[in-house]
Amino acid sequence: MKKGMVHIYTGDGKGKTTASLGLILRALGHNFKVCLITFQKYPEKYKYGEFKSLKKFKKLKIYNFAKICPYFCKNYDIEKIKKEISSCIDFIKNKIFSNKYDLIVMDEVLVCVREKLLDVDVLLEIIKLKPPNVELVLTGQSNSEIIDKLEKYADYISLVKNLKHPYDRGIKRRKGIEY
Protein backbone atom coordinates (compact mmCIF):
# COMPACT_ATOMS: atom_id res chain seq x y z
CA MET A 1 0.00 0.00 0.00
CA LYS A 2 1.19 3.48 -0.73
CA LYS A 3 -0.67 5.19 2.11
CA GLY A 4 -1.95 3.41 5.16
CA MET A 5 -5.07 4.90 6.66
CA VAL A 6 -6.61 5.08 10.12
CA HIS A 7 -9.92 3.35 10.90
CA ILE A 8 -12.05 3.84 14.00
CA TYR A 9 -14.81 1.35 14.84
CA THR A 10 -16.78 2.61 17.84
CA GLY A 11 -20.28 2.72 19.31
CA ASP A 12 -22.42 0.78 21.74
CA GLY A 13 -23.42 -1.98 19.34
CA LYS A 14 -22.10 -5.47 18.69
CA GLY A 15 -19.71 -5.74 15.77
CA LYS A 16 -16.66 -3.52 16.29
CA THR A 17 -14.21 -6.35 16.89
CA THR A 18 -16.04 -8.47 14.33
CA ALA A 19 -15.53 -5.76 11.69
CA SER A 20 -11.83 -5.54 12.48
CA LEU A 21 -11.54 -9.34 12.23
CA GLY A 22 -13.19 -9.19 8.82
CA LEU A 23 -10.58 -6.68 7.71
CA ILE A 24 -7.83 -8.91 9.14
CA LEU A 25 -9.14 -11.88 7.12
CA ARG A 26 -9.32 -9.77 3.97
CA ALA A 27 -5.74 -8.54 4.47
CA LEU A 28 -4.45 -12.07 5.17
CA GLY A 29 -6.18 -13.22 1.99
CA HIS A 30 -3.94 -10.76 0.12
CA ASN A 31 -0.85 -12.04 1.95
CA PHE A 32 -0.50 -8.95 4.15
CA LYS A 33 1.52 -9.09 7.34
CA VAL A 34 -0.94 -8.37 10.18
CA CYS A 35 -0.69 -7.61 13.90
CA LEU A 36 -3.65 -7.81 16.29
CA ILE A 37 -3.17 -6.16 19.68
CA THR A 38 -5.99 -6.58 22.16
CA PHE A 39 -6.70 -4.70 25.36
CA GLN A 40 -9.09 -5.69 28.16
CA LYS A 41 -9.56 -9.19 26.73
CA TYR A 42 -8.44 -12.36 28.45
CA PRO A 43 -8.46 -15.15 25.83
CA GLU A 44 -7.09 -17.83 28.17
CA LYS A 45 -9.94 -17.22 30.63
CA TYR A 46 -12.86 -16.44 28.32
CA LYS A 47 -11.97 -18.79 25.43
CA TYR A 48 -12.90 -16.39 22.60
CA GLY A 49 -13.42 -18.41 19.44
CA GLU A 50 -11.68 -15.89 17.19
CA PHE A 51 -8.33 -16.42 18.90
CA LYS A 52 -8.53 -20.16 18.35
CA SER A 53 -9.10 -19.58 14.63
CA LEU A 54 -6.61 -16.75 14.15
CA LYS A 55 -3.70 -18.72 15.62
CA LYS A 56 -3.67 -20.76 12.40
CA PHE A 57 -2.48 -17.84 10.24
CA LYS A 58 1.30 -17.56 9.86
CA LYS A 59 1.19 -13.93 8.68
CA LEU A 60 -0.70 -12.84 11.81
CA LYS A 61 0.88 -11.99 15.15
CA ILE A 62 -1.39 -11.58 18.21
CA TYR A 63 -0.58 -9.77 21.45
CA ASN A 64 -2.89 -9.44 24.46
CA PHE A 65 -2.25 -6.58 26.90
CA ALA A 66 -3.97 -5.40 30.07
CA LYS A 67 -6.18 -8.48 30.04
CA ILE A 68 -8.06 -7.52 33.19
CA CYS A 69 -10.98 -5.18 32.57
CA PRO A 70 -11.87 -3.04 35.61
CA TYR A 71 -15.53 -3.15 34.57
CA PHE A 72 -15.62 -6.91 35.23
CA CYS A 73 -12.95 -7.16 37.95
CA LYS A 74 -13.74 -4.56 40.59
CA ASN A 75 -10.86 -5.40 42.96
CA TYR A 76 -8.02 -5.02 40.47
CA ASP A 77 -5.32 -2.37 40.83
CA ILE A 78 -6.07 0.38 38.27
CA GLU A 79 -2.49 1.66 38.43
CA LYS A 80 -1.24 -1.79 37.47
CA ILE A 81 -3.54 -1.80 34.43
CA LYS A 82 -2.29 1.68 33.44
CA LYS A 83 1.32 0.45 33.66
CA GLU A 84 0.49 -2.57 31.49
CA ILE A 85 -1.10 -0.31 28.89
CA SER A 86 1.85 2.09 29.03
CA SER A 87 4.23 -0.84 28.46
CA CYS A 88 2.13 -1.88 25.49
CA ILE A 89 2.32 1.61 23.99
CA ASP A 90 6.12 1.53 24.31
CA PHE A 91 6.11 -1.95 22.75
CA ILE A 92 4.05 -0.68 19.81
CA LYS A 93 6.34 2.30 19.22
CA ASN A 94 9.59 0.37 19.57
CA LYS A 95 8.77 -3.10 18.27
CA ILE A 96 5.51 -3.26 16.33
CA PHE A 97 6.08 -0.17 14.19
CA SER A 98 9.52 -1.46 13.18
CA ASN A 99 8.23 -4.89 12.09
CA LYS A 100 6.88 -3.80 8.71
CA TYR A 101 3.27 -4.80 9.29
CA ASP A 102 0.73 -3.88 6.62
CA LEU A 103 -2.21 -3.84 9.06
CA ILE A 104 -2.23 -3.24 12.82
CA VAL A 105 -5.46 -3.59 14.80
CA MET A 106 -5.62 -2.18 18.34
CA ASP A 107 -8.78 -3.88 19.58
CA GLU A 108 -10.59 -2.21 22.51
CA VAL A 109 -7.99 0.55 22.79
CA LEU A 110 -10.80 3.13 22.75
CA VAL A 111 -12.22 1.53 25.91
CA CYS A 112 -8.86 2.16 27.57
CA VAL A 113 -9.13 5.84 26.66
CA ARG A 114 -12.78 6.09 27.73
CA GLU A 115 -11.98 4.48 31.10
CA LYS A 116 -9.02 6.87 31.55
CA LEU A 117 -6.50 4.03 31.54
CA LEU A 118 -4.81 5.63 28.53
CA ASP A 119 -4.67 9.33 27.70
CA VAL A 120 -6.17 10.29 24.34
CA ASP A 121 -3.04 12.32 23.57
CA VAL A 122 -0.93 9.16 23.86
CA LEU A 123 -3.23 7.45 21.36
CA LEU A 124 -2.90 10.48 19.06
CA GLU A 125 0.87 10.13 19.31
CA ILE A 126 0.58 6.48 18.20
CA ILE A 127 -1.51 7.54 15.22
CA LYS A 128 1.03 10.21 14.26
CA LEU A 129 3.98 7.81 14.68
CA LYS A 130 2.54 4.96 12.64
CA PRO A 131 4.59 4.20 9.55
CA PRO A 132 3.03 5.85 6.47
CA ASN A 133 2.16 2.59 4.70
CA VAL A 134 0.53 0.91 7.74
CA GLU A 135 -3.24 0.58 7.96
CA LEU A 136 -4.19 1.17 11.62
CA VAL A 137 -7.52 0.13 13.15
CA LEU A 138 -8.74 1.32 16.57
CA THR A 139 -11.80 -0.32 18.09
CA GLY A 140 -13.91 -0.03 21.23
CA GLN A 141 -16.71 1.85 22.87
CA SER A 142 -15.86 5.50 23.23
CA ASN A 143 -17.56 8.86 23.62
CA SER A 144 -18.05 11.92 21.44
CA GLU A 145 -15.29 13.90 23.17
CA ILE A 146 -12.69 11.25 22.32
CA ILE A 147 -13.94 10.80 18.76
CA ASP A 148 -13.90 14.58 18.25
CA LYS A 149 -10.18 14.60 19.17
CA LEU A 150 -9.38 11.63 16.90
CA GLU A 151 -11.56 12.62 13.93
CA LYS A 152 -8.95 14.86 12.30
CA TYR A 153 -6.53 11.93 12.11
CA ALA A 154 -8.97 9.23 11.05
CA ASP A 155 -9.78 8.30 7.48
CA TYR A 156 -12.68 6.03 8.42
CA ILE A 157 -15.01 6.34 11.39
CA SER A 158 -17.71 3.71 11.73
CA LEU A 159 -20.34 3.99 14.43
CA VAL A 160 -21.84 0.63 15.43
CA LYS A 161 -25.17 1.50 17.02
CA ASN A 162 -27.10 -0.86 19.27
CA LEU A 163 -30.76 -0.88 18.27
CA LYS A 164 -31.58 -4.25 19.78
CA HIS A 165 -29.54 -6.95 21.54
CA PRO A 166 -30.53 -10.22 23.26
CA TYR A 167 -28.55 -9.11 26.34
CA ASP A 168 -31.24 -6.44 26.90
CA ARG A 169 -33.70 -9.33 27.43
CA GLY A 170 -31.41 -11.11 29.88
CA ILE A 171 -29.94 -13.56 27.38
CA LYS A 172 -26.30 -14.29 28.26
CA ARG A 173 -23.47 -14.22 25.71
CA ARG A 174 -23.43 -17.25 23.44
CA LYS A 175 -20.45 -19.37 22.42
CA GLY A 176 -19.56 -18.87 18.77
CA ILE A 177 -21.63 -15.69 18.47
CA GLU A 178 -20.53 -13.25 21.19
CA TYR A 179 -17.27 -15.00 22.07
mmCIF file of all heavy atoms in Angstrom, residues 100-137:
data_model
loop_
_atom_site.group_PDB
_atom_site.id
_atom_site.type_symbol
_atom_site.label_atom_id
_atom_site.label_comp_id
_atom_site.label_asym_id
_atom_site.label_seq_id
_atom_site.Cartn_x
_atom_site.Cartn_y
_atom_site.Cartn_z
ATOM 1 N N LYS A 100 7.381 -3.844 10.083
ATOM 2 C CA LYS A 100 6.876 -3.802 8.706
ATOM 3 C C LYS A 100 5.542 -4.508 8.520
ATOM 4 O O LYS A 100 5.356 -5.284 7.590
ATOM 5 C CB LYS A 100 7.921 -4.342 7.741
ATOM 6 C CG LYS A 100 9.199 -3.517 7.740
ATOM 7 C CD LYS A 100 10.159 -3.976 6.674
ATOM 8 C CE LYS A 100 11.308 -3.017 6.560
ATOM 9 N NZ LYS A 100 12.482 -3.338 7.291
ATOM 10 N N TYR A 101 4.625 -4.264 9.442
ATOM 11 C CA TYR A 101 3.266 -4.796 9.287
ATOM 12 C C TYR A 101 2.522 -3.955 8.254
ATOM 13 O O TYR A 101 2.769 -2.758 8.115
ATOM 14 C CB TYR A 101 2.516 -4.757 10.616
ATOM 15 C CG TYR A 101 2.976 -5.798 11.593
ATOM 16 C CD1 TYR A 101 3.792 -5.457 12.663
ATOM 17 C CD2 TYR A 101 2.611 -7.136 11.446
ATOM 18 C CE1 TYR A 101 4.232 -6.422 13.563
ATOM 19 C CE2 TYR A 101 3.043 -8.100 12.338
ATOM 20 C CZ TYR A 101 3.855 -7.736 13.390
ATOM 21 O OH TYR A 101 4.286 -8.688 14.270
ATOM 22 N N ASP A 102 1.594 -4.595 7.553
ATOM 23 C CA ASP A 102 0.727 -3.879 6.624
ATOM 24 C C ASP A 102 -0.525 -3.381 7.339
ATOM 25 O O ASP A 102 -1.067 -2.325 6.997
ATOM 26 C CB ASP A 102 0.301 -4.808 5.481
ATOM 27 C CG ASP A 102 1.498 -5.329 4.702
ATOM 28 O OD1 ASP A 102 2.208 -4.496 4.108
ATOM 29 O OD2 ASP A 102 1.730 -6.551 4.710
ATOM 30 N N LEU A 103 -0.996 -4.163 8.317
ATOM 31 C CA LEU A 103 -2.215 -3.836 9.057
ATOM 32 C C LEU A 103 -1.972 -4.095 10.542
ATOM 33 O O LEU A 103 -1.484 -5.169 10.907
ATOM 34 C CB LEU A 103 -3.385 -4.708 8.571
ATOM 35 C CG LEU A 103 -4.686 -4.658 9.364
ATOM 36 C CD1 LEU A 103 -5.328 -3.267 9.319
ATOM 37 C CD2 LEU A 103 -5.666 -5.702 8.854
ATOM 38 N N ILE A 104 -2.307 -3.099 11.360
ATOM 39 C CA ILE A 104 -2.233 -3.239 12.818
ATOM 40 C C ILE A 104 -3.610 -2.900 13.368
ATOM 41 O O ILE A 104 -4.150 -1.827 13.090
ATOM 42 C CB ILE A 104 -1.169 -2.316 13.437
ATOM 43 C CG1 ILE A 104 0.224 -2.664 12.898
ATOM 44 C CG2 ILE A 104 -1.208 -2.403 14.974
ATOM 45 C CD1 ILE A 104 1.306 -1.669 13.283
ATOM 46 N N VAL A 105 -4.173 -3.816 14.153
ATOM 47 C CA VAL A 105 -5.464 -3.591 14.804
ATOM 48 C C VAL A 105 -5.215 -3.481 16.297
ATOM 49 O O VAL A 105 -4.609 -4.367 16.895
ATOM 50 C CB VAL A 105 -6.454 -4.749 14.511
ATOM 51 C CG1 VAL A 105 -7.741 -4.566 15.306
ATOM 52 C CG2 VAL A 105 -6.747 -4.830 13.018
ATOM 53 N N MET A 106 -5.687 -2.395 16.891
ATOM 54 C CA MET A 106 -5.624 -2.185 18.339
ATOM 55 C C MET A 106 -7.056 -2.318 18.866
ATOM 56 O O MET A 106 -7.795 -1.346 18.956
ATOM 57 C CB MET A 106 -5.014 -0.823 18.655
ATOM 58 C CG MET A 106 -3.563 -0.696 18.204
ATOM 59 S SD MET A 106 -2.861 0.955 18.441
ATOM 60 C CE MET A 106 -2.844 1.077 20.230
ATOM 61 N N ASP A 107 -7.411 -3.556 19.190
ATOM 62 C CA ASP A 107 -8.780 -3.884 19.582
ATOM 63 C C ASP A 107 -9.054 -3.459 21.025
ATOM 64 O O ASP A 107 -8.300 -3.813 21.930
ATOM 65 C CB ASP A 107 -8.997 -5.386 19.403
ATOM 66 C CG ASP A 107 -10.439 -5.800 19.606
ATOM 67 O OD1 ASP A 107 -11.343 -5.053 19.169
ATOM 68 O OD2 ASP A 107 -10.669 -6.867 20.195
ATOM 69 N N GLU A 108 -10.120 -2.722 21.218
ATOM 70 C CA GLU A 108 -10.586 -2.210 22.513
ATOM 71 C C GLU A 108 -9.703 -1.110 23.090
ATOM 72 O O GLU A 108 -9.852 -0.737 24.250
ATOM 73 C CB GLU A 108 -10.774 -3.333 23.549
ATOM 74 C CG GLU A 108 -11.693 -4.451 23.109
ATOM 75 C CD GLU A 108 -13.151 -4.064 22.869
ATOM 76 O OE1 GLU A 108 -13.520 -2.894 23.070
ATOM 77 O OE2 GLU A 108 -13.930 -4.942 22.486
ATOM 78 N N VAL A 109 -8.826 -0.543 22.293
ATOM 79 C CA VAL A 109 -7.992 0.551 22.791
ATOM 80 C C VAL A 109 -8.831 1.784 23.146
ATOM 81 O O VAL A 109 -8.491 2.537 24.069
ATOM 82 C CB VAL A 109 -6.855 0.902 21.795
ATOM 83 C CG1 VAL A 109 -7.389 1.616 20.550
ATOM 84 C CG2 VAL A 109 -5.778 1.733 22.489
ATOM 85 N N LEU A 110 -9.952 1.974 22.450
ATOM 86 C CA LEU A 110 -10.796 3.132 22.752
ATOM 87 C C LEU A 110 -11.467 2.994 24.117
ATOM 88 O O LEU A 110 -11.763 3.991 24.772
ATOM 89 C CB LEU A 110 -11.828 3.352 21.643
ATOM 90 C CG LEU A 110 -11.219 3.691 20.272
ATOM 91 C CD1 LEU A 110 -12.301 3.738 19.206
ATOM 92 C CD2 LEU A 110 -10.436 4.981 20.323
ATOM 93 N N VAL A 111 -11.698 1.762 24.559
ATOM 94 C CA VAL A 111 -12.221 1.534 25.912
ATOM 95 C C VAL A 111 -11.187 2.000 26.932
ATOM 96 O O VAL A 111 -11.528 2.619 27.945
ATOM 97 C CB VAL A 111 -12.580 0.051 26.134
ATOM 98 C CG1 VAL A 111 -12.938 -0.214 27.588
ATOM 99 C CG2 VAL A 111 -13.726 -0.362 25.222
ATOM 100 N N CYS A 112 -9.932 1.722 26.661
ATOM 101 C CA CYS A 112 -8.859 2.163 27.570
ATOM 102 C C CYS A 112 -8.850 3.684 27.708
ATOM 103 O O CYS A 112 -8.648 4.214 28.810
ATOM 104 C CB CYS A 112 -7.503 1.687 27.065
ATOM 105 S SG CYS A 112 -7.313 -0.099 27.038
ATOM 106 N N VAL A 113 -9.089 4.373 26.608
ATOM 107 C CA VAL A 113 -9.134 5.841 26.658
ATOM 108 C C VAL A 113 -10.383 6.295 27.401
ATOM 109 O O VAL A 113 -10.318 7.153 28.289
ATOM 110 C CB VAL A 113 -9.071 6.439 25.235
ATOM 111 C CG1 VAL A 113 -9.233 7.958 25.287
ATOM 112 C CG2 VAL A 113 -7.763 6.059 24.551
ATOM 113 N N ARG A 114 -11.519 5.705 27.072
ATOM 114 C CA ARG A 114 -12.779 6.087 27.725
ATOM 115 C C ARG A 114 -12.708 5.887 29.239
ATOM 116 O O ARG A 114 -13.203 6.716 30.006
ATOM 117 C CB ARG A 114 -13.933 5.274 27.146
ATOM 118 C CG ARG A 114 -15.299 5.677 27.712
ATOM 119 C CD ARG A 114 -16.369 4.662 27.423
ATOM 120 N NE ARG A 114 -16.091 3.450 28.199
ATOM 121 C CZ ARG A 114 -16.645 2.277 27.960
ATOM 122 N NH1 ARG A 114 -17.493 2.120 26.975
ATOM 123 N NH2 ARG A 114 -16.338 1.235 28.703
ATOM 124 N N GLU A 115 -12.076 4.802 29.671
ATOM 125 C CA GLU A 115 -11.976 4.484 31.103
ATOM 126 C C GLU A 115 -10.803 5.195 31.784
ATOM 127 O O GLU A 115 -10.485 4.902 32.930
ATOM 128 C CB GLU A 115 -11.871 2.973 31.296
ATOM 129 C CG GLU A 115 -13.097 2.214 30.829
ATOM 130 C CD GLU A 115 -14.361 2.629 31.561
ATOM 131 O OE1 GLU A 115 -14.319 2.812 32.789
ATOM 132 O OE2 GLU A 115 -15.403 2.789 30.882
ATOM 133 N N LYS A 116 -10.142 6.079 31.031
ATOM 134 C CA LYS A 116 -9.018 6.866 31.550
ATOM 135 C C LYS A 116 -7.836 6.005 31.998
ATOM 136 O O LYS A 116 -7.098 6.357 32.918
ATOM 137 C CB LYS A 116 -9.475 7.815 32.653
ATOM 138 C CG LYS A 116 -10.509 8.821 32.148
ATOM 139 C CD LYS A 116 -10.896 9.814 33.192
ATOM 140 C CE LYS A 116 -11.905 10.847 32.774
ATOM 141 N NZ LYS A 116 -12.515 10.842 31.519
ATOM 142 N N LEU A 117 -7.664 4.883 31.319
ATOM 143 C CA LEU A 117 -6.503 4.029 31.537
ATOM 144 C C LEU A 117 -5.380 4.407 30.580
ATOM 145 O O LEU A 117 -4.231 4.026 30.775
ATOM 146 C CB LEU A 117 -6.881 2.561 31.326
ATOM 147 C CG LEU A 117 -8.001 2.032 32.218
ATOM 148 C CD1 LEU A 117 -8.464 0.671 31.742
ATOM 149 C CD2 LEU A 117 -7.556 2.003 33.671
ATOM 150 N N LEU A 118 -5.745 5.150 29.538
ATOM 151 C CA LEU A 118 -4.813 5.628 28.527
ATOM 152 C C LEU A 118 -5.264 7.026 28.119
ATOM 153 O O LEU A 118 -6.452 7.237 27.834
ATOM 154 C CB LEU A 118 -4.827 4.682 27.307
ATOM 155 C CG LEU A 118 -4.003 5.083 26.093
ATOM 156 C CD1 LEU A 118 -2.514 5.075 26.418
ATOM 157 C CD2 LEU A 118 -4.284 4.143 24.931
ATOM 158 N N ASP A 119 -4.343 7.958 28.082
ATOM 159 C CA ASP A 119 -4.671 9.328 27.697
ATOM 160 C C ASP A 119 -4.874 9.418 26.185
ATOM 161 O O ASP A 119 -4.105 8.816 25.415
ATOM 162 C CB ASP A 119 -3.541 10.267 28.141
ATOM 163 C CG ASP A 119 -3.930 11.717 27.995
ATOM 164 O OD1 ASP A 119 -3.731 12.272 26.889
ATOM 165 O OD2 ASP A 119 -4.444 12.292 28.973
ATOM 166 N N VAL A 120 -5.878 10.145 25.772
ATOM 167 C CA VAL A 120 -6.174 10.288 24.340
ATOM 168 C C VAL A 120 -4.983 10.875 23.587
ATOM 169 O O VAL A 120 -4.740 10.523 22.434
ATOM 170 C CB VAL A 120 -7.473 11.105 24.104
ATOM 171 C CG1 VAL A 120 -7.296 12.565 24.469
ATOM 172 C CG2 VAL A 120 -7.940 10.956 22.667
ATOM 173 N N ASP A 121 -4.207 11.738 24.234
ATOM 174 C CA ASP A 121 -3.043 12.324 23.567
ATOM 175 C C ASP A 121 -1.964 11.271 23.277
ATOM 176 O O ASP A 121 -1.240 11.390 22.289
ATOM 177 C CB ASP A 121 -2.462 13.468 24.399
ATOM 178 C CG ASP A 121 -3.397 14.676 24.427
ATOM 179 O OD1 ASP A 121 -4.122 14.895 23.427
ATOM 180 O OD2 ASP A 121 -3.419 15.388 25.446
ATOM 181 N N VAL A 122 -1.867 10.258 24.114
ATOM 182 C CA VAL A 122 -0.926 9.162 23.858
ATOM 183 C C VAL A 122 -1.388 8.364 22.636
ATOM 184 O O VAL A 122 -0.582 7.979 21.789
ATOM 185 C CB VAL A 122 -0.781 8.261 25.101
ATOM 186 C CG1 VAL A 122 0.079 7.042 24.793
ATOM 187 C CG2 VAL A 122 -0.203 9.051 26.271
ATOM 188 N N LEU A 123 -2.694 8.144 22.534
ATOM 189 C CA LEU A 123 -3.228 7.454 21.359
ATOM 190 C C LEU A 123 -3.007 8.287 20.095
ATOM 191 O O LEU A 123 -2.645 7.749 19.043
ATOM 192 C CB LEU A 123 -4.711 7.125 21.550
ATOM 193 C CG LEU A 123 -5.339 6.255 20.471
ATOM 194 C CD1 LEU A 123 -4.591 4.937 20.291
ATOM 195 C CD2 LEU A 123 -6.797 6.000 20.789
ATOM 196 N N LEU A 124 -3.178 9.590 20.198
ATOM 197 C CA LEU A 124 -2.898 10.476 19.055
ATOM 198 C C LEU A 124 -1.431 10.377 18.639
ATOM 199 O O LEU A 124 -1.120 10.379 17.444
ATOM 200 C CB LEU A 124 -3.241 11.924 19.401
ATOM 201 C CG LEU A 124 -4.715 12.279 19.359
ATOM 202 C CD1 LEU A 124 -4.958 13.671 19.936
ATOM 203 C CD2 LEU A 124 -5.259 12.192 17.942
ATOM 204 N N GLU A 125 -0.550 10.280 19.610
ATOM 205 C CA GLU A 125 0.871 10.134 19.310
ATOM 206 C C GLU A 125 1.126 8.837 18.535
ATOM 207 O O GLU A 125 1.887 8.821 17.562
ATOM 208 C CB GLU A 125 1.671 10.134 20.616
ATOM 209 C CG GLU A 125 3.157 10.006 20.411
ATOM 210 C CD GLU A 125 3.923 9.911 21.724
ATOM 211 O OE1 GLU A 125 3.331 10.021 22.810
ATOM 212 O OE2 GLU A 125 5.150 9.705 21.639
ATOM 213 N N ILE A 126 0.450 7.758 18.931
ATOM 214 C CA ILE A 126 0.578 6.485 18.204
ATOM 215 C C ILE A 126 0.123 6.660 16.755
ATOM 216 O O ILE A 126 0.781 6.207 15.824
ATOM 217 C CB ILE A 126 -0.251 5.376 18.902
ATOM 218 C CG1 ILE A 126 0.420 4.932 20.188
ATOM 219 C CG2 ILE A 126 -0.489 4.177 17.988
ATOM 220 C CD1 ILE A 126 1.696 4.150 20.006
ATOM 221 N N ILE A 127 -0.999 7.317 16.577
ATOM 222 C CA ILE A 127 -1.509 7.541 15.218
ATOM 223 C C ILE A 127 -0.491 8.326 14.398
ATOM 224 O O ILE A 127 -0.201 7.982 13.247
ATOM 225 C CB ILE A 127 -2.868 8.279 15.262
ATOM 226 C CG1 ILE A 127 -3.938 7.373 15.887
ATOM 227 C CG2 ILE A 127 -3.276 8.747 13.868
ATOM 228 C CD1 ILE A 127 -5.241 8.082 16.202
ATOM 229 N N LYS A 128 0.072 9.368 14.980
ATOM 230 C CA LYS A 128 1.030 10.212 14.263
ATOM 231 C C LYS A 128 2.346 9.484 13.975
ATOM 232 O O LYS A 128 3.012 9.777 12.984
ATOM 233 C CB LYS A 128 1.305 11.482 15.065
ATOM 234 C CG LYS A 128 0.112 12.408 15.131
ATOM 235 C CD LYS A 128 0.393 13.571 16.077
ATOM 236 C CE LYS A 128 -0.840 14.416 16.309
ATOM 237 N NZ LYS A 128 -0.605 15.485 17.307
ATOM 238 N N LEU A 129 2.720 8.537 14.845
ATOM 239 C CA LEU A 129 3.984 7.815 14.681
ATOM 240 C C LEU A 129 3.884 6.589 13.772
ATOM 241 O O LEU A 129 4.907 6.028 13.390
ATOM 242 C CB LEU A 129 4.513 7.360 16.049
ATOM 243 C CG LEU A 129 5.047 8.440 16.973
ATOM 244 C CD1 LEU A 129 5.389 7.853 18.339
ATOM 245 C CD2 LEU A 129 6.260 9.125 16.360
ATOM 246 N N LYS A 130 2.672 6.174 13.451
ATOM 247 C CA LYS A 130 2.540 4.961 12.644
ATOM 248 C C LYS A 130 3.271 5.146 11.312
ATOM 249 O O LYS A 130 3.256 6.225 10.736
ATOM 250 C CB LYS A 130 1.073 4.604 12.436
ATOM 251 C CG LYS A 130 0.423 5.327 11.285
ATOM 252 C CD LYS A 130 -0.902 4.709 10.917
ATOM 253 C CE LYS A 130 -1.438 5.346 9.675
ATOM 254 N NZ LYS A 130 -0.668 5.087 8.466
ATOM 255 N N PRO A 131 3.929 4.106 10.852
ATOM 256 C CA PRO A 131 4.591 4.198 9.546
ATOM 257 C C PRO A 131 3.572 4.561 8.453
ATOM 258 O O PRO A 131 2.416 4.139 8.522
ATOM 259 C CB PRO A 131 5.160 2.793 9.342
ATOM 260 C CG PRO A 131 5.330 2.254 10.727
ATOM 261 C CD PRO A 131 4.175 2.819 11.506
ATOM 262 N N PRO A 132 3.978 5.336 7.475
ATOM 263 C CA PRO A 132 3.031 5.853 6.473
ATOM 264 C C PRO A 132 2.258 4.800 5.682
ATOM 265 O O PRO A 132 1.150 5.040 5.254
ATOM 266 C CB PRO A 132 3.901 6.681 5.526
ATOM 267 C CG PRO A 132 5.248 6.735 6.102
ATOM 268 C CD PRO A 132 5.328 5.803 7.265
ATOM 269 N N ASN A 133 2.833 3.615 5.501
ATOM 270 C CA ASN A 133 2.158 2.585 4.697
ATOM 271 C C ASN A 133 1.303 1.644 5.538
ATOM 272 O O ASN A 133 0.663 0.751 5.000
ATOM 273 C CB ASN A 133 3.189 1.782 3.912
ATOM 274 C CG ASN A 133 4.123 1.017 4.826
ATOM 275 O OD1 ASN A 133 4.548 1.529 5.865
ATOM 276 N ND2 ASN A 133 4.457 -0.189 4.448
ATOM 277 N N VAL A 134 1.266 1.816 6.850
ATOM 278 C CA VAL A 134 0.533 0.911 7.740
ATOM 279 C C VAL A 134 -0.920 1.340 7.869
ATOM 280 O O VAL A 134 -1.217 2.506 8.129
ATOM 281 C CB VAL A 134 1.193 0.857 9.147
ATOM 282 C CG1 VAL A 134 0.312 0.106 10.129
ATOM 283 C CG2 VAL A 134 2.557 0.212 9.054
ATOM 284 N N GLU A 135 -1.811 0.377 7.705
ATOM 285 C CA GLU A 135 -3.237 0.578 7.959
ATOM 286 C C GLU A 135 -3.430 0.318 9.448
ATOM 287 O O GLU A 135 -3.027 -0.724 9.966
ATOM 288 C CB GLU A 135 -4.034 -0.425 7.128
ATOM 289 C CG GLU A 135 -5.436 -0.037 6.817
ATOM 290 C CD GLU A 135 -5.579 0.948 5.661
ATOM 291 O OE1 GLU A 135 -4.583 1.300 4.991
ATOM 292 O OE2 GLU A 135 -6.719 1.370 5.427
ATOM 293 N N LEU A 136 -4.028 1.274 10.170
ATOM 294 C CA LEU A 136 -4.189 1.173 11.619
ATOM 295 C C LEU A 136 -5.671 1.217 11.964
ATOM 296 O O LEU A 136 -6.392 2.116 11.534
ATOM 297 C CB LEU A 136 -3.467 2.332 12.312
ATOM 298 C CG LEU A 136 -3.560 2.385 13.836
ATOM 299 C CD1 LEU A 136 -2.891 1.167 14.480
ATOM 300 C CD2 LEU A 136 -2.932 3.678 14.356
ATOM 301 N N VAL A 137 -6.123 0.218 12.742
ATOM 302 C CA VAL A 137 -7.518 0.129 13.150
ATOM 303 C C VAL A 137 -7.601 0.243 14.665
ATOM 304 O O VAL A 137 -6.894 -0.478 15.384
ATOM 305 C CB VAL A 137 -8.160 -1.202 12.690
ATOM 306 C CG1 VAL A 137 -9.611 -1.288 13.148
ATOM 307 C CG2 VAL A 137 -8.059 -1.355 11.182
#
